[in-house]
Amino acid sequence: IFVKSNTESGEKSKMRKAEVVGTMTACGLVPVVRAERAEQAINISEALLEGGINVVEITMTVPGAINAMEKVADKFGDRIVLGAGTVLDAETARTAILAGARFIVSPSLNDEVIALARRYSVMVCPGALTPTEVIHAWESGADLVKIFPCGEVGGAKYIKSLKGPFPQVEMIPTGGVNLKTAADFISAGSTALGVGTALVDKKAVSEGAYEIIVEKAKQFIAVIKEARAQK
């Protein structure tokens, strides 16, 4: 499922980093999954997959996140590109990678996390906000840069402003992304969109109404497809 270092190569090493980046870019969405139990994470992942989204980010802020990642990785294998979110340090990044994470996402910029992910040949998407942080992240080896919290500083207009001086930087805005704003974010030059409760509806999860997530996934996919066609 992931590419380990030479000292820890394993049987799960199937998908290379370039494939992960390609899949995420093609999908255009990185759903942020905050589940209370591993079973919920599996059900959410299944609903997203049914709705056409084959990328899932499980945040480290939820109880049992590593267990949830292991179970999602075991159940879905290469059908879902699994990642770990809210990774704040290199130790957590390594634990997530060994659990099956194929990409690492941080809300902040940590050079040690980037270095660790590169050592394991795993895609890394650190968080940045200011122009200085964005270019620092990119020059440090980020595969994509998470612009967070994007909605609080201008949303799609801010992405467009950053893409002016940094057209080479692949950006994933997170914060303020919903069905109404998604097209604008894509038009502004975003590679993919990080989306939370606007897609992974908390009420739907708590009530077990996963068909709502299936439908929202389809709606997001349609919006992104249309926005890309108009670029």
Side-chain angles (χ1 to χ4, degrees):
I1 289 175
F2 53 85
V3 180
K4 294 184 181 180
S5 67
N6 292 333
T7 58
E8 297 183 21
S9 59
E11 294 179 0
K12 290 185 177 180
S13 303
K14 295 180 180 180
M15 184 173 282
R16 294 184 179 277
K17 181 165 69 170
E19 294 178 84
V20 174
V21 175
T23 300
M24 186 180 292
T25 301
C27 178
L29 287 164
V30 182
V32 180
V33 175
R34 295 183 176 90
E36 294 179 5
R37 302 183 302 278
E39 182 185 359
Q40 285 184 341
I42 290 172
N43 291 337
I44 293 168
S45 299
E46 196 153 25
L48 291 168
L49 192 60
E50 186 177 340
I53 299 173
N54 59 348
V55 177
V56 172
E57 173 193 326
I58 296 177
T59 69
M60 296 303 300
T61 54
V62 301
I66 292 298
N67 180 47
M69 279 190 281
E70 289 174 340
K71 291 192 174 183
V72 169
D74 287 341
K75 180 174 177 65
F76 298 101
D78 284 340
R79 288 188 295 153
I80 282 181
V81 176
L82 175 66
T86 322
V87 175
L88 303 180
D89 53 68
E91 291 80 8
T92 303
R94 180 179 178 277
T95 302
I97 291 168
L98 296 177
R102 300 170 182 173
F103 64 90
I104 298 295
V105 181
S106 300
S108 55
L109 178 55
N110 185 309
D111 289 328
E112 292 181 0
V113 171
I114 297 174
L116 187 284
R118 287 175 60 81
R119 187 177 305 135
Y120 279 74
S121 296
V122 169
M123 198 209 92
V124 62
C125 180
L129 187 63
T130 68
T132 299
E133 291 172 346
V134 170
I135 199 62
H136 180 159
W138 190 250
E139 291 178 346
S140 295
D143 298 289
L144 298 100
V145 179
K146 172 178 177 174
I147 309 301
F148 173 81
C150 195
E152 303 299 320
V153 294
K157 291 181 179 178
Y158 188 62
I159 294 296
K160 186 174 182 179
S161 295
L162 288 174
K163 290 295 285 187
F166 306 133
Q168 77 279 22
V169 178
E170 305 289 351
M171 301 179 191
I172 299 183
T174 305
V177 178
N178 54 49
L179 283 170
K180 292 182 179 180
T181 62
D184 289 338
F185 275 112
I186 292 296
S187 299
S190 304
T191 299
L193 310 179
V195 58
T197 54
L199 172 55
V200 185
D201 188 290
K202 287 183 178 180
K203 185 178 179 181
V205 173
S206 65
E207 295 178 353
Y210 294 101
E211 66 276 6
I212 292 175
I213 295 175
V214 174
E215 185 57 34
K216 287 192 175 185
K218 291 178 179 178
Q219 292 172 352
F220 267 101
I221 289 291
V223 168
I224 287 177
K225 184 177 181 181
E226 182 177 354
R228 284 176 168 173
Q230 293 177 356
K231 285 184 68 177

